Amino acid sequence: MFRSGESKRVAPARSGSNVDASVWYPPFMTHGRLEVVCGPMFAGKSTRLLARCAELAAQGLEVQAFKPASDDRYDGARHIVTHDGRRLEATPIADANEILAAIAPAVIVDEIHFLGDAVVEPCMRLVRGGRIVIVAGVDRDHRGRPFAPFPAMLCEADRVDKLHATCARCQGPACHSQRLVASDQRIVVGGAEAYEPRCRVCFEPAA
């Protein structure tokens, strides 16, 4: 858990139309919010998460981070790791409902496309309970189609940071992740050896 200064205590949620009484929320907040960071691979999504974490910590808020257990790139099974090697300690989860165990007022979940639509309701329960929830992930698959849970998450979001990478072919703004390895699986864990960013013109969707 990432914190700055003295830790804040949390209290049970109050009953009411705008909170979820089944989860915990910090008494100094009345409304939660959902922030979504999305874009192709190599767009700086995890870097943006680490920056938001530092901003929240500077405000005196504890931040608790989670990531899918299946994402073990860069020897980072228990860390959110940027492509340039920066790290943030995170709890690996196999089930999206595990984020409901969070006790911090701010919760970060990276690589949510690994968790699919199952992550939407746990995130929204935390938001209804008064938490700041920040999620990040790849919003289009290797065929260029929307990646769950982003259609639902973008509808619910209070803030969206839509990031672009630099196209590996033409250096234009890239919104796609071009898969470089042969596989029919929708999720293939990999880095620069398996993917590169492409713009709409240079992108070659898988058959």
Side-chain angles (χ1 to χ4, degrees), residues 137-187:
V138 176
D139 55 351
R140 304 184 194 213
D141 66 14
H142 65 295
R143 292 186 172 92
R145 301 179 305 193
F147 230 150
F150 282 97
M153 282 294 196
L154 292 173
C155 287
E156 295 285 1
D158 299 290
R159 167 179 170 176
V160 176
D161 289 337
K162 174 76 170 178
L163 306 182
H164 290 79
T166 299
C167 179
R169 289 282 182 87
C170 72
Q171 311 307 306
C175 59
H176 289 285
S177 302
Q178 182 73 53
R179 183 177 290 177
L180 306 176
V181 296
S183 175
D184 293 329
Q185 298 297 315
R186 198 170 193 203
I187 294 179

Side-chain angles (χ1 to χ4, degrees), residues 76-119:
R78 299 193 66 85
H79 292 84
I80 294 171
V81 185
T82 66
H83 292 294
D84 60 1
R86 283 178 283 176
R87 292 170 176 260
L88 172 68
E89 184 177 354
T91 300
I93 58 172
D95 187 311
N97 286 302
E98 293 178 58
I99 70 171
L100 294 173
I103 60 173
V107 177
I108 283 175
V109 189
D110 198 13
E111 307 292 357
I112 60 169
H113 54 288
F114 283 59
L115 300 169
D117 284 327
V119 76

Side-chain angles (χ1 to χ4, degrees), residues 40-145:
M41 293 188 65
F42 310 106
K45 300 180 299 300
S46 296
T47 299
R48 182 66 59 87
L49 279 186
L50 268 62
R52 287 293 292 127
C53 181
E55 291 168 3
L56 293 169
Q59 297 170 21
L61 295 178
E62 290 186 4
V63 182
Q64 200 164 353
F66 297 87
K67 60 170 291 184
S70 55
D71 179 18
D72 58 358
R73 294 171 297 169
Y74 313 115
D75 194 28
R78 299 193 66 85
H79 292 84
I80 294 171
V81 185
T82 66
H83 292 294
D84 60 1
R86 283 178 283 176
R87 292 170 176 260
L88 172 68
E89 184 177 354
T91 300
I93 58 172
D95 187 311
N97 286 302
E98 293 178 58
I99 70 171
L100 294 173
I103 60 173
V107 177
I108 283 175
V109 189
D110 198 13
E111 307 292 357
I112 60 169
H113 54 288
F114 283 59
L115 300 169
D117 284 327
V119 76
V120 177
E121 182 54 26
C123 284
M124 294 313 302
R125 284 185 63 185
L126 292 176
V127 170
R128 290 192 295 268
R131 312 291 187 88
I132 299 170
V133 178
I134 307 175
V135 301
V138 176
D139 55 351
R140 304 184 194 213
D141 66 14
H142 65 295
R143 292 186 172 92
R145 301 179 305 193

Side-chain angles (χ1 to χ4, degrees), residues 27-39:
F28 49 86
M29 293 175 61
T30 57
H31 297 283
R33 70 175 184 266
L34 173 66
E35 301 181 16
V36 174
V37 181
C38 62

